[in-house]
Amino acid sequence: MSRPNTHASPFHHVKSNKTSQMPLKLERPYNVTVIGSGNWGTTIAKVVAENTREHPSCFAPTVQMWVFEEKIDGKNLTEIINTEHENVKYLPKIKLPENLVANPSLEDSVKGADILIFNIPHQFLPNIVNQLKPHVLPSVRAISCLKGFDVGPKGVQLLTDYITDNLNIQCGALSGANLATEVALEHWSETTVAYNLPFDYRGDGKDVDHRVLKALFHRPYFHVSVIDDVAGVSVAGALKNVVALGCGFVEGLGWGNNASAAIQRIGLGEIIKFGLMFFPESSVETYYKESAGVADLITTCSGGRNVRVAKMMAETGKSAKECEEILLNGQSAQGIITCEEVHEWLTTCDKVDEYPLLEAVYQIVFNNVPMEDIPEMIEELDSLTVFAKSENKPTTETKK
Ligand SMILES: NC(=O)c1ccc[n+]([C@@H]2O[C@H](COP(=O)([O-])OP(=O)(O)OC[C@H]3O[C@@H](n4cnc5c(N)ncnc54)[C@H](O)[C@@H]3O)[C@@H](O)[C@H]2O)c1
Ligand SMILES: O=P(O)(O)OC[C@H](O)CO
């Protein structure tokens, strides 16, 4: 079954040109804006600003970074970033390039931009996109670093498609095994960028393509692979956060590495199944070959914010929201919202039973189901004889 009512955007399905060995020559340098300045938003802005500074013939050196303004000890965060070159709240102790300019005005930050990089917790996307609508031309190209889905009248939608549909611009995705602090410290890692050329592609050297994106994101410490599979990259990035909550539960219960590995194995299976069922354009190879696939699952389940929040839930009995607030100082654990979106969608299409782990995480987070029940909740039911819990007598339940 694929998504009902999915809007067929005029943009999506053109295969991109491959990265070639020829030096990159553009008709003019592109202006780049990063929308968002949290833990990952600031890190990606740093990566990009280092590259724009190094390649002035391809990119205007100054990178605008839109900041959701807030006061830190009575001072505007934008002012602190622009004078101390540090995001003291969301990425402390990391020096930012001086050509990265924090801007509190969304409208002003995108003025003249050729490339927009979306990097905010995805619950804020609808509001941001609404504000941007009058200010973004269709010639602009975008990359989304967001993790999550939009579930609404169009069914389950990728956030890249949400951006395309609402702003009428082509949008790709960036995702990988990328804990922000490690990338910010310039420890080596890999990432995946997925992008398709739009139908109104203006031609080599006149538009954003795979080579431009590689030049924009690749650093000696941040190795970029550019592919076409926007759906695969997006599905893997969204769902691994839900799986990471499951890992946090078993870790917090003290069940050890074997239990965490079991959750990741089952999680990977459900991620691939979800991708192929609802986004059949995604490629199974992306889930196990790309950094955005299994590698991101592993790193997120080892040291991400979702695993930390879930572990604290197990250890303290506090709710997900309470733990997020206590642990993350304004940052967001996206798995909490994503498991709700996934539950809503699977309920709508009557497929909840086919995703026992994703559903178990939702039930634990939102309905206080005991996390100790995880093994029974995720038991694979296909052609198994299951013992009815209460009476301890065999029943035969077979998955529909
Ligand atoms: N942090 C990571 O390690 C990491 C790595 C890869 C991908 N991601 C993904 O990147 C995306 C952005 O994550 P992040 O870590 O940069 O954000 P974050 O979790 O640090 O969130 C904090 C940001 O949200 C902003 N914010 C708060 N209220 C807001 C509002 N009402 N409107 C708009 N913005 C508001 C804050 O100003 C701050 O910039 C997420 O989808 C996340 O899953 C994160
Ligand atoms: O800290 P998390 O759980 O939001 O995950 C971080 C990244 O997505 C890891 O690649």
Side-chain angles (χ1 to χ4, degrees), residues 37-41 68 119 121 124 147 178 180 305 331-332 334:
S37 54
N39 192 231
W40 187 228
F68 181 74
N119 208 335
F124 305 127
K147 309 272 166 89
N178 301 142
R305 297 170 297 186
Q331 294 181 36
S332 176
Q334 296 280 274

Side-chain angles (χ1 to χ4, degrees), residues 61-379:
T62 298
V63 170
Q64 294 285 330
M65 176 171 75
W66 173 71
V67 174
F68 181 74
E69 189 68 286
E70 59 187 288
K71 295 272 185 204
I72 311 283
D73 298 331
K75 246 180 155 182
N76 284 336
L77 180 57
T78 46
E79 194 189 331
I80 299 174
I81 295 173
N82 288 336
T83 52
E84 295 171 26
H85 307 290
E86 181 182 338
N87 186 339
V88 290
K89 176 152 182 193
Y90 296 105
L91 195 64
K93 299 194 168 66
I94 300 291
K95 221 48 201 158
L96 300 173
E98 297 194 5
N99 56 319
L100 178 62
V101 174
N103 191 334
S105 159
L106 193 55
E107 178 182 342
D108 189 59
S109 72
V110 301
K111 218 172 252 168
D114 301 292
I115 302 175
L116 299 181
I117 301 166
F118 287 85
N119 208 335
I120 46 173
H122 79 290
Q123 62 270 30
F124 305 127
L125 185 63
N127 182 28
I128 300 284
V129 156
N130 274 337
Q131 292 179 62
L132 283 177
K133 267 180 192 163
H135 308 293
V136 175
L137 296 171
S139 55
V140 167
R141 311 304 185 198
I143 291 291
S144 160
C145 305
L146 276 60
K147 309 272 166 89
F149 296 107
D150 176 66
V151 178
K154 290 180 181 173
V156 63
Q157 204 186 12
L158 302 179
L159 299 175
T160 49
D161 287 347
Y162 182 89
I163 290 168
T164 291
D165 288 357
N166 283 280
L167 293 178
N168 198 27
I169 57 175
Q170 178 69 333
C171 186
L174 178 151
S175 187
N178 301 142
L179 296 172
T181 311
E182 295 179 15
V183 178
L185 287 167
E186 304 185 5
H187 295 161
W188 172 73
S189 70
E190 300 176 302
T191 203
T192 314
V193 174
Y195 185 76
N196 290 301
L197 297 183
F199 284 104
D200 63 350
Y201 178 63
R202 297 182 287 273
D204 285 2
K206 296 179 182 153
D207 205 337
V208 170
D209 59 16
H210 280 192
R211 297 177 67 209
V212 173
L213 293 170
K214 184 128 186 174
L216 186 58
F217 291 108
H218 189 90
R219 297 291 301 153
Y221 60 86
F222 192 59
H223 282 202
V224 172
S225 142
V226 195
I227 64 171
D228 295 316
D229 186 5
V230 177
V233 165
S234 305
V235 169
L239 292 182
K240 55 85 187 174
N241 284 336
V242 180
V243 178
L245 288 172
C247 285
F249 297 145
V250 297
E251 203 181 305
L253 289 169
W255 289 0
N257 296 324
N258 298 338
S260 178
I263 297 285
Q264 288 174 58
R265 179 191 72 79
I266 294 161
L268 181 62
E270 292 192 18
I271 290 171
I272 294 174
K273 182 172 173 175
F274 191 98
L276 299 183
M277 185 177 282
F278 302 121
F279 298 92
E281 68 273 31
S282 69
S283 156
V284 73
E285 289 193 347
T286 302
Y287 299 107
Y288 68 87
K289 273 196 179 166
E290 294 295 335
S291 179
V294 69
D296 192 14
L297 178 73
I298 293 168
T299 203
T300 302
C301 291
S302 318
R305 297 170 297 186
N306 290 283
V307 83
R308 283 160 51 211
V309 163
K311 186 172 177 222
M312 186 183 193
M313 287 170 69
E315 288 170 346
T316 64
K318 291 186 196 304
S319 73
K321 277 286 151 201
E322 282 174 293
C323 296
E324 187 185 44
E325 244 180 77
I326 296 166
L327 279 177
L328 299 185
N329 188 31
Q331 294 181 36
S332 176
Q334 296 280 274
I336 301 169
I337 310 160
T338 306
C339 74
E340 195 177 18
E341 290 161 347
V342 167
H343 169 79
E344 194 186 329
W345 169 242
L346 293 176
T347 305
T348 302
C349 60
D350 199 20
K351 293 282 181 195
V352 164
D353 292 352
E354 296 198 28
Y355 296 88
L357 175 63
L358 300 179
E359 178 61 11
V361 170
Y362 167 79
Q363 292 298 342
I364 291 164
V365 171
F366 285 92
N367 291 330
N368 292 318
V369 168
M371 45 189 83
E372 290 81 358
D373 289 354
I374 282 186
E376 285 151 40
M377 292 165 79
I378 64 178
E379 193 78 46

Side-chain angles (χ1 to χ4, degrees), residues 1-42:
M1 175 179 179
S2 58
R3 294 150 283 158
N5 306 322
T6 303
H7 176 68
S9 155
F11 282 117
H12 295 166
H13 303 295
V14 183
K15 292 281 178 197
S16 211
N17 56 344
K18 300 290 173 207
T19 44
S20 90
Q21 301 305 314
M22 296 278 287
L24 183 59
K25 265 197 172 157
L26 301 179
E27 60 176 356
R28 63 179 176 82
Y30 294 142
N31 291 303
V32 182
T33 296
V34 178
I35 297 173
S37 54
N39 192 231
W40 187 228
T42 308

